[in-house]
Amino acid sequence: MSAPVLTIDGPSGAGKGTVSRLLARKLGWHYLDSGSIYRALAIAVQEQAVDLENIQELVRTASTMALEFDCGDALVVRLDNQDITAQLGLESTGYSASIVAALPEIRLVLLQKQRDFLKMPGLVADGRDMGTVVFPETPYKVFLTASNAKRAERRYKQLKEKGIDANLSSLAKEIEERDRRDRERITAPLSMASGALFIDSSDMTIDAVINQVLNHYFPA
Ligand code: DC
């Protein structure tokens, strides 16, 4: 019997990361932040100065990058033995990630890397195509969204808390552009999986979102 998986898909800033991490803790399951894999690739591509037009080199970079997730009290991510945790959270990294993520060849290489995270007793997987492409067989799917204004506001707060300087209106524009690219790409675009539980978190607390998911799929 394979391990169960709960997928949480949605646009950036909907609260997927926080909600998924807490749900994984409550359920005692593993956690996959698939966005960080695309973000790590964007960093590798930049560091190795790979030409974005050179698909073969991009594919080579994606298949050879050695990623390590150290899930202690605070998550530490290493790329080829180098700590990239701080760089990973930058808005510019998310933006570049969304560009490399639009390439079908790249998505194919990263598909198995993501499926390898599925282990007993279960997995909470957060991203854009977790319920549609990576784990389509699972009956536990959530589509989490929020209004554009709320999502920009949340990202702004998150960046400020990390001590990263940000401008709310340019952040809102960048998020909108990134979402449009994620929704409109040909391969595995951001879309709601059929049968997914739809949640608009605009006016909800994190606890309320978590309770709605648990009551719906795993009632006590
Ligand atoms: O969730 P995030 O902001 O860390 O994701 C960064 C980018 O990576 C996002 O804009 C699109 C891409 N991504 C993707 O294409 N598929 C995923 N499952 C997760 C992220």
Side-chain angles (χ1 to χ4, degrees):
M1 198 187 83
S2 78
V5 51
L6 167 63
T7 61
I8 317 266
D9 288 309
S12 41
K16 293 186 309 275
T18 312
V19 163
S20 304
R21 246 188 305 275
L22 289 170
L23 277 166
R25 199 176 299 159
K26 286 221 172 197
L27 293 164
W29 290 5
H30 302 281
Y31 169 52
L32 164 63
D33 166 9
S34 62
S36 67
I37 299 181
Y38 290 94
R39 284 172 182 259
L41 174 61
I43 294 170
V45 163
Q46 196 181 359
E47 286 192 347
Q48 297 172 31
V50 179
D51 177 0
L52 285 177
E53 305 282 309
N54 189 339
I55 305 287
Q56 214 179 341
E57 266 303 286
L58 289 171
V59 166
R60 188 200 53 78
T61 311
S63 24
T64 54
M65 67 178 180
L67 266 185
E68 254 177 276
F69 292 85
D70 205 336
C71 306
D73 284 340
L75 176 77
V76 174
V77 182
R78 274 182 289 270
L79 168 67
D80 300 326
N81 287 324
Q82 187 196 334
D83 185 347
I84 55 160
T85 318
Q87 237 174 311
L88 214 59
L90 296 177
E91 212 44 36
S92 55
T93 306
Y95 194 84
S96 318
S98 138
I99 295 175
V100 288
L103 300 167
E105 295 87 348
I106 292 294
R107 302 201 72 85
L108 192 63
V109 173
L110 298 183
L111 192 58
Q112 194 55 46
K113 278 192 201 275
Q114 295 170 85
R115 288 186 176 150
D116 288 343
F117 277 78
L118 183 52
K119 295 202 173 84
M120 283 296 188
L123 178 73
V124 178
D126 122 31
R128 305 292 186 289
D129 61 341
M130 298 295 101
T132 51
V133 175
V134 183
F135 302 109
E137 309 294 336
T138 183
Y140 312 123
K141 302 180 188 191
V142 173
F143 190 83
L144 184 62
T145 190
S147 68
N148 289 0
K150 270 279 152 76
R151 293 190 292 114
E153 217 176 277
R154 285 180 189 157
R155 280 302 283 154
Y156 179 77
K157 271 200 197 143
Q158 249 174 18
L159 291 172
K160 283 277 169 192
E161 277 162 20
K162 285 188 201 157
I164 300 171
D165 207 22
N167 170 290
L168 186 56
S169 67
S170 48
L171 190 60
K173 276 202 202 100
E174 273 169 28
I175 289 181
E176 223 170 282
E177 191 183 332
R178 174 139 76 95
D179 285 341
R180 189 170 32 77
R181 189 168 31 240
D182 294 345
R183 279 180 206 280
E184 291 179 359
R185 68 180 175 223
I186 309 279
T187 312
L190 167 64
S191 68
M192 184 164 129
S194 77
L197 169 67
F198 176 87
I199 303 179
D200 181 336
S201 72
S202 303
D203 298 310
M204 290 172 81
T205 62
I206 289 174
D207 275 350
V209 174
I210 287 171
N211 287 336
Q212 190 176 342
V213 175
L214 292 175
N215 289 338
H216 187 82
Y217 285 127
F218 312 102

